[in-house]
Amino acid sequence: MSITCHLVHADGTTTTISARPGESLMQAAVAANATGIEADCGGLLTCATCHVYVREPFASQLPPAEADERAMLEFTASPCQPNSRLSCQIALGEALEGLTVDLPASQH
Ligand code: FES
């Protein structure tokens, strides 16, 4: 079973990827060679280059960001918004089938 996720690039194009349950959105995007999520730190919560804007209804379904994630969200290259999350902290599961996120214009 796989989870389908949609990455909407800043230019309006969309990349659709397949993920395994338990993977993070960042891991799935990197495995698919998707552009727009850099993930310089490999998921260690030290880079903020995996920033995404999560669309509803998914944004409200995610567990709230932990303190470490909130702290790193202050270092995103593109403006942080209420639906900003770090994709290495988004654990994919069946409930997130169809997850759609907007990618920021820049991660650096
Ligand atoms: Fe570096 Fe998410 S990959 S903070």
Side-chain angles (χ1 to χ4, degrees), residues 16-79:
T16 297
I17 61 172
S18 256
R20 293 191 308 274
E23 266 188 318
S24 70
L25 177 61
M26 177 279 278
Q27 288 171 324
V30 168
N33 283 323
T35 56
I37 293 181
E38 303 292 339
D40 290 348
C41 79
L44 297 176
L45 258 187
T46 57
C47 76
T49 62
C50 62
H51 179 203
V52 297
Y53 303 110
V54 182
R55 290 197 185 174
E56 292 296 352
F58 304 100
S60 358
Q61 290 174 19
L62 295 177
E66 306 262 352
D68 287 355
E69 182 183 352
R70 289 201 307 274
M72 278 315 295
L73 279 166
E74 293 179 18
F75 297 95
T76 56
S78 293

